[in-house]
Amino acid sequence: MQKKITRAVVPAAGFGTRLLPATKAQPKEMLVVVDKPVIQYVVEEAVQSGITDVLIIISDGKEVLREHFRPDEELERVLEAKGKQGELEVIQSLNHLANIHIEYQHEQKGLGDAIFCAEKFAAGEPFVVLLGDTIIEAERPLTLQLTEVFAEKKNPVIALQQVPLSIAHRYGVFIGEEVQPRLYCGTAMVEKPPKDNIPSNLVFAGRYVLTPDIFDALRNTVAGVNNEIQLTDAIRLLMNKRHVYGWLFDGERHDVGNKLDFIKTNVLLGLKRPDIGKQLRDWLNETKF
Ligand code: G1P
């Protein structure tokens, strides 16, 4: 029987320049959405999808991403002494969420280069990638949807969403043929195409299942858009020798790496929380903006 995918890679080494100065001394993946840092939503999605080991790729100074998942005995002791049982459980649940591993990407040479840092961790097995600044809301965790497709197709699978053509130049763009409802077999892909030459409105949504041959492809990938090693370019190389699938998922993608979407995500997820949702909705309805 085919082994289940249990390893996830979360690239989180970027500077977060679109959110400066908030991200000057704090990783964007630690920014709070309602009451949890973004990285926790991402790791929770992985865990809900059967992942046991998560490698977070960081740059120097972003060690707080690891600290968030480490036991804090002093804090636990204080909460216990104060009888704050609810808070204690919340904190303790993080201790065993997943085995968290850390690898450093010392120079910011692109998403492809970040994934390359995961070669040892992947240990020759398929793995998933979850972008650390993207929260996905879906009825079934998106990473689980992708690993199920992978179990059937045994080839890389990329989460896709449809966007208006006018903004597709901001993304990796996927061109393919629909082979089953929502499932596309790729024929081409391009990272951030020029605005006047957008080949498709299907774009990469920040979740991938990759096979270990991606590392050889990355070794052979030269710098592309923005002079960075692009993951999209390496996946395109894989397409010379195997199928690559795209899965058009049903759900919402929240990119918290820019100001507007960061605020919208807080409002949208806040509205869904039982403790503050109703009050937030009432306030939005009552306030004359
Ligand atoms: C990255 C990927 C791109 C993808 C996007 C999704 O781009 O390179 O293919 O569509 O994430 O958020 P970035 O947003 O880091 O420029």
Side-chain angles (χ1 to χ4, degrees):
M1 220 182 73
Q2 191 181 323
K3 276 204 256 171
K4 285 227 161 80
I5 296 181
T6 57
R7 287 166 200 239
V9 178
V10 178
F15 287 124
T17 46
R18 285 175 295 175
L19 286 168
L20 283 169
T23 47
K24 182 165 177 278
Q26 174 185 232
K28 67 176 165 182
E29 297 80 7
M30 279 306 290
L31 292 176
V32 173
V33 172
V34 188
D35 56 2
K36 294 192 279 192
V38 178
I39 189 78
Q40 190 178 330
Y41 290 87
V42 174
V43 171
E44 283 172 351
E45 178 192 327
V47 170
Q48 287 157 10
S49 308
I51 299 299
T52 57
D53 286 77
V54 179
L55 175 69
I56 307 178
I57 312 277
I58 62 169
S59 47
D60 292 328
K62 293 181 97 179
E63 290 76 12
V64 64
L65 287 166
R66 170 178 52 198
E67 294 312 311
H68 184 67
F69 297 97
R70 269 195 175 163
D72 184 336
E73 283 166 22
E74 175 64 11
L75 177 61
E76 287 180 28
R77 207 182 46 72
V78 170
L79 291 174
E80 190 150 23
K82 290 190 170 167
K84 295 195 178 247
Q85 196 55 33
E87 287 84 349
L88 181 63
E89 279 165 22
V90 166
I91 294 304
Q92 284 176 330
S93 70
L94 287 172
N95 300 349
H96 311 289
L97 194 57
N99 302 315
I100 304 290
H101 309 257
I102 291 291
E103 192 68 66
Y104 285 89
Q105 183 192 18
H106 291 289
E107 249 183 281
Q108 311 298 296
K109 291 192 287 188
L111 179 59
D113 181 67
I115 299 305
F116 194 55
C117 301
E119 186 169 21
K120 215 170 100 202
F121 171 77
E125 299 287 337
F127 59 99
V128 297
V129 172
L130 300 92
L131 299 193
D133 61 1
T134 302
I135 296 175
I136 303 282
E137 267 191 293
E139 225 164 84
R140 296 180 59 242
L142 176 53
T143 297
L144 180 62
Q145 298 180 32
L146 296 183
T147 56
E148 285 174 353
V149 175
F150 178 80
E152 194 191 314
K153 299 293 180 190
K154 299 176 181 62
N155 277 298
V157 193
I158 301 159
L160 301 178
Q161 70 174 142
Q162 267 165 336
V163 297
L165 280 178
S166 58
I167 59 162
H169 64 277
R170 299 182 196 159
Y171 298 92
V173 173
F174 186 93
I175 302 106
E177 240 177 78
E178 196 171 11
V179 288
Q180 287 169 23
R182 295 193 169 272
L183 187 66
Y184 292 78
C185 187
T187 52
M189 58 183 63
V190 52
E191 180 67 19
K192 304 199 174 71
K195 279 186 190 168
D196 58 356
N197 188 13
I198 305 291
S200 151
N201 67 346
L202 291 174
V203 303
F204 291 16
R207 301 290 186 263
Y208 312 71
V209 179
L210 296 175
T211 43
D213 47 358
I214 191 67
F215 296 110
D216 275 338
L218 282 165
R219 254 185 282 279
N220 293 317
T221 300
V222 293
V225 169
N226 298 334
N227 203 25
E228 291 178 346
I229 307 287
Q230 297 293 346
L231 182 60
T232 305
D233 293 341
I235 300 174
R236 194 176 47 242
L237 286 183
L238 281 187
M239 287 172 63
N240 293 331
K241 54 183 197 121
R242 65 191 309 159
H243 291 310
V244 173
Y245 291 91
W247 175 248
L248 180 60
F249 76 101
D250 194 12
E252 287 294 317
R253 186 181 74 96
H254 304 292
D255 174 359
V256 289
N258 71 78
K259 284 174 223 180
L260 182 60
D261 287 320
F262 173 68
I263 293 170
K264 283 184 186 171
T265 305
N266 264 291
V267 174
L268 288 170
L269 297 193
L271 285 169
K272 293 183 182 166
R273 289 294 175 88
D275 52 347
I276 59 163
K278 190 185 170 308
Q279 282 157 283
L280 179 59
R281 186 175 302 278
D282 290 348
W283 177 75
L284 287 167
N285 287 337
E286 284 158 16
T287 308
K288 294 192 176 51
F289 293 104

mmCIF file of all heavy atoms in Angstrom, residues 7 51-52 59 64 68 92 101 118 129 141 182 185 191 196 222 225 239 263 268-269 282:
data_model
loop_
_atom_site.group_PDB
_atom_site.id
_atom_site.type_symbol
_atom_site.label_atom_id
_atom_site.label_comp_id
_atom_site.label_asym_id
_atom_site.label_seq_id
_atom_site.Cartn_x
_atom_site.Cartn_y
_atom_site.Cartn_z
ATOM 1 N N ARG A 7 4.684 14.596 5.740
ATOM 2 C CA ARG A 7 5.608 15.734 5.895
ATOM 3 C C ARG A 7 5.131 16.950 5.125
ATOM 4 O O ARG A 7 4.715 16.839 3.968
ATOM 5 C CB ARG A 7 6.993 15.357 5.380
ATOM 6 C CG ARG A 7 7.682 14.402 6.314
ATOM 7 C CD ARG A 7 8.883 13.787 5.647
ATOM 8 N NE ARG A 7 9.211 12.579 6.351
ATOM 9 C CZ ARG A 7 10.370 12.358 6.937
ATOM 10 N NH1 ARG A 7 11.323 13.247 6.887
ATOM 11 N NH2 ARG A 7 10.571 11.234 7.572
ATOM 12 N N ILE A 51 -0.756 15.310 8.461
ATOM 13 C CA ILE A 51 0.677 15.628 8.555
ATOM 14 C C ILE A 51 1.137 15.519 10.016
ATOM 15 O O ILE A 51 0.446 15.991 10.927
ATOM 16 C CB ILE A 51 0.941 17.064 8.018
ATOM 17 C CG1 ILE A 51 0.543 17.168 6.547
ATOM 18 C CG2 ILE A 51 2.387 17.499 8.270
ATOM 19 C CD1 ILE A 51 1.286 16.267 5.591
ATOM 20 N N THR A 52 2.299 14.904 10.206
ATOM 21 C CA THR A 52 2.851 14.792 11.563
ATOM 22 C C THR A 52 4.099 15.653 11.746
ATOM 23 O O THR A 52 4.441 16.021 12.865
ATOM 24 C CB THR A 52 3.244 13.330 11.871
ATOM 25 O OG1 THR A 52 4.189 12.899 10.868
ATOM 26 C CG2 THR A 52 2.035 12.406 11.850
ATOM 27 N N SER A 59 14.279 32.586 7.984
ATOM 28 C CA SER A 59 15.544 33.306 7.849
ATOM 29 C C SER A 59 15.988 33.711 9.261
ATOM 30 O O SER A 59 15.207 33.610 10.221
ATOM 31 C CB SER A 59 15.370 34.519 6.938
ATOM 32 O OG SER A 59 14.209 35.232 7.305
ATOM 33 N N VAL A 64 11.052 32.954 16.356
ATOM 34 C CA VAL A 64 9.793 33.000 17.104
ATOM 35 C C VAL A 64 8.752 32.057 16.483
ATOM 36 O O VAL A 64 7.856 31.552 17.176
ATOM 37 C CB VAL A 64 9.276 34.462 17.183
ATOM 38 C CG1 VAL A 64 8.932 35.003 15.811
ATOM 39 C CG2 VAL A 64 8.102 34.599 18.116
ATOM 40 N N HIS A 68 6.666 29.503 18.992
ATOM 41 C CA HIS A 68 5.213 29.455 19.160
ATOM 42 C C HIS A 68 4.720 28.026 19.416
ATOM 43 O O HIS A 68 3.697 27.832 20.067
ATOM 44 C CB HIS A 68 4.520 30.039 17.920
ATOM 45 C CG HIS A 68 3.031 30.102 18.074
ATOM 46 N ND1 HIS A 68 2.405 30.929 18.989
ATOM 47 C CD2 HIS A 68 2.030 29.402 17.472
ATOM 48 C CE1 HIS A 68 1.104 30.743 18.927
ATOM 49 N NE2 HIS A 68 0.848 29.821 18.017
ATOM 50 N N GLN A 92 -1.321 24.333 25.929
ATOM 51 C CA GLN A 92 -0.766 22.969 25.915
ATOM 52 C C GLN A 92 -1.063 22.249 24.605
ATOM 53 O O GLN A 92 -0.286 21.408 24.170
ATOM 54 C CB GLN A 92 -1.310 22.164 27.101
ATOM 55 C CG GLN A 92 -0.634 22.577 28.406
ATOM 56 C CD GLN A 92 -1.198 21.871 29.606
ATOM 57 O OE1 GLN A 92 -2.381 21.515 29.612
ATOM 58 N NE2 GLN A 92 -0.386 21.691 30.632
ATOM 59 N N HIS A 101 10.058 21.270 12.726
ATOM 60 C CA HIS A 101 11.474 21.288 12.361
ATOM 61 C C HIS A 101 11.770 22.655 11.737
ATOM 62 O O HIS A 101 10.882 23.296 11.190
ATOM 63 C CB HIS A 101 11.783 20.192 11.333
ATOM 64 C CG HIS A 101 11.288 18.832 11.729
ATOM 65 N ND1 HIS A 101 12.113 17.851 12.213
ATOM 66 C CD2 HIS A 101 10.033 18.297 11.713
ATOM 67 C CE1 HIS A 101 11.396 16.765 12.477
ATOM 68 N NE2 HIS A 101 10.132 17.006 12.186
ATOM 69 N N ALA A 118 14.517 22.008 1.746
ATOM 70 C CA ALA A 118 13.781 20.907 2.390
ATOM 71 C C ALA A 118 14.212 19.534 1.879
ATOM 72 O O ALA A 118 13.604 18.529 2.226
ATOM 73 C CB ALA A 118 12.273 21.091 2.160
ATOM 74 N N VAL A 129 3.454 21.277 0.408
ATOM 75 C CA VAL A 129 3.947 22.632 0.672
ATOM 76 C C VAL A 129 2.740 23.503 0.974
ATOM 77 O O VAL A 129 1.736 23.462 0.238
ATOM 78 C CB VAL A 129 4.709 23.204 -0.547
ATOM 79 C CG1 VAL A 129 5.041 24.677 -0.334
ATOM 80 C CG2 VAL A 129 5.987 22.406 -0.811
ATOM 81 N N PRO A 141 -10.166 20.234 4.740
ATOM 82 C CA PRO A 141 -8.881 20.923 4.601
ATOM 83 C C PRO A 141 -8.314 20.751 3.191
ATOM 84 O O PRO A 141 -8.320 19.645 2.640
ATOM 85 C CB PRO A 141 -8.001 20.218 5.631
ATOM 86 C CG PRO A 141 -8.934 19.608 6.613
ATOM 87 C CD PRO A 141 -10.192 19.303 5.872
ATOM 88 N N ARG A 182 -13.171 19.507 -11.752
ATOM 89 C CA ARG A 182 -12.220 20.239 -10.900
ATOM 90 C C ARG A 182 -10.765 19.818 -11.060
ATOM 91 O O ARG A 182 -9.872 20.434 -10.471
ATOM 92 C CB ARG A 182 -12.589 20.147 -9.404
ATOM 93 C CG ARG A 182 -13.896 20.815 -9.087
ATOM 94 C CD ARG A 182 -14.113 20.994 -7.609
ATOM 95 N NE ARG A 182 -15.246 21.874 -7.403
ATOM 96 C CZ ARG A 182 -15.165 23.193 -7.339
ATOM 97 N NH1 ARG A 182 -14.006 23.791 -7.435
ATOM 98 N NH2 ARG A 182 -16.250 23.926 -7.178
ATOM 99 N N CYS A 185 -5.189 18.495 -15.982
ATOM 100 C CA CYS A 185 -3.864 17.969 -16.264
ATOM 101 C C CYS A 185 -3.100 19.095 -16.963
ATOM 102 O O CYS A 185 -3.551 19.635 -17.981
ATOM 103 C CB CYS A 185 -3.973 16.724 -17.134
ATOM 104 S SG CYS A 185 -2.380 15.931 -17.321
ATOM 105 N N GLU A 191 5.087 31.664 -14.207
ATOM 106 C CA GLU A 191 5.056 32.480 -12.988
ATOM 107 C C GLU A 191 4.915 33.952 -13.375
ATOM 108 O O GLU A 191 5.703 34.472 -14.171
ATOM 109 C CB GLU A 191 6.337 32.252 -12.170
ATOM 110 C CG GLU A 191 6.433 33.052 -10.880
ATOM 111 C CD GLU A 191 5.415 32.646 -9.816
ATOM 112 O OE1 GLU A 191 4.858 31.535 -9.883
ATOM 113 O OE2 GLU A 191 5.169 33.464 -8.901
ATOM 114 N N ASP A 196 -0.235 41.792 -20.403
ATOM 115 C CA ASP A 196 -0.876 41.731 -21.726
ATOM 116 C C ASP A 196 -0.825 40.330 -22.332
ATOM 117 O O ASP A 196 -1.160 40.150 -23.492
ATOM 118 C CB ASP A 196 -0.229 42.765 -22.666
ATOM 119 C CG ASP A 196 1.262 42.537 -22.813
ATOM 120 O OD1 ASP A 196 1.798 41.630 -22.127
ATOM 121 O OD2 ASP A 196 1.897 43.255 -23.603
ATOM 122 N N VAL A 222 17.031 27.990 -13.345
ATOM 123 C CA VAL A 222 17.790 29.249 -13.243
ATOM 124 C C VAL A 222 16.842 30.344 -12.742
ATOM 125 O O VAL A 222 15.618 30.188 -12.764
ATOM 126 C CB VAL A 222 18.396 29.662 -14.605
ATOM 127 C CG1 VAL A 222 19.474 28.676 -15.030
ATOM 128 C CG2 VAL A 222 17.311 29.787 -15.660
ATOM 129 N N VAL A 225 11.473 35.190 -12.885
ATOM 130 C CA VAL A 225 10.838 36.466 -12.538
ATOM 131 C C VAL A 225 11.452 37.021 -11.244
ATOM 132 O O VAL A 225 11.728 36.272 -10.303
ATOM 133 C CB VAL A 225 9.316 36.233 -12.353
ATOM 134 C CG1 VAL A 225 8.635 37.443 -11.742
ATOM 135 C CG2 VAL A 225 8.679 35.893 -13.669
ATOM 136 N N MET A 239 7.215 18.710 -15.699
ATOM 137 C CA MET A 239 6.181 18.352 -16.689
ATOM 138 C C MET A 239 6.768 17.706 -17.941
ATOM 139 O O MET A 239 6.043 17.120 -18.727
ATOM 140 C CB MET A 239 5.381 19.598 -17.092
ATOM 141 C CG MET A 239 4.444 20.054 -15.999
ATOM 142 S SD MET A 239 3.683 21.620 -16.387
ATOM 143 C CE MET A 239 2.760 21.194 -17.817
ATOM 144 N N ILE A 263 -6.586 42.761 6.646
ATOM 145 C CA ILE A 263 -7.700 43.322 7.418
ATOM 146 C C ILE A 263 -9.004 42.580 7.090
ATOM 147 O O ILE A 263 -9.765 42.203 7.983
ATOM 148 C CB ILE A 263 -7.820 44.836 7.153
ATOM 149 C CG1 ILE A 263 -6.593 45.538 7.744
ATOM 150 C CG2 ILE A 263 -9.113 45.411 7.765
ATOM 151 C CD1 ILE A 263 -6.449 46.988 7.368
ATOM 152 N N LEU A 268 -13.484 38.787 8.263
ATOM 153 C CA LEU A 268 -14.247 37.611 7.816
ATOM 154 C C LEU A 268 -14.157 36.465 8.817
ATOM 155 O O LEU A 268 -15.169 35.836 9.149
ATOM 156 C CB LEU A 268 -13.732 37.136 6.451
ATOM 157 C CG LEU A 268 -14.104 38.040 5.283
ATOM 158 C CD1 LEU A 268 -13.351 37.626 4.019
ATOM 159 C CD2 LEU A 268 -15.615 37.983 5.030
ATOM 160 N N LEU A 269 -12.960 36.198 9.327
ATOM 161 C CA LEU A 269 -12.823 35.097 10.285
ATOM 162 C C LEU A 269 -13.380 35.490 11.649
ATOM 163 O O LEU A 269 -13.940 34.663 12.355
ATOM 164 C CB LEU A 269 -11.371 34.624 10.381
ATOM 165 C CG LEU A 269 -10.777 34.032 9.086
ATOM 166 C CD1 LEU A 269 -9.460 33.311 9.366
ATOM 167 C CD2 LEU A 269 -11.727 33.062 8.401
ATOM 168 N N ASP A 282 -22.860 43.245 14.474
ATOM 169 C CA ASP A 282 -23.714 44.361 14.917
ATOM 170 C C ASP A 282 -22.968 45.678 14.755
ATOM 171 O O ASP A 282 -23.503 46.668 14.278
ATOM 172 C CB ASP A 282 -24.127 44.178 16.387
ATOM 173 C CG ASP A 282 -25.112 43.017 16.551
ATOM 174 O OD1 ASP A 282 -25.625 42.545 15.517
ATOM 175 O OD2 ASP A 282 -25.335 42.582 17.697
#
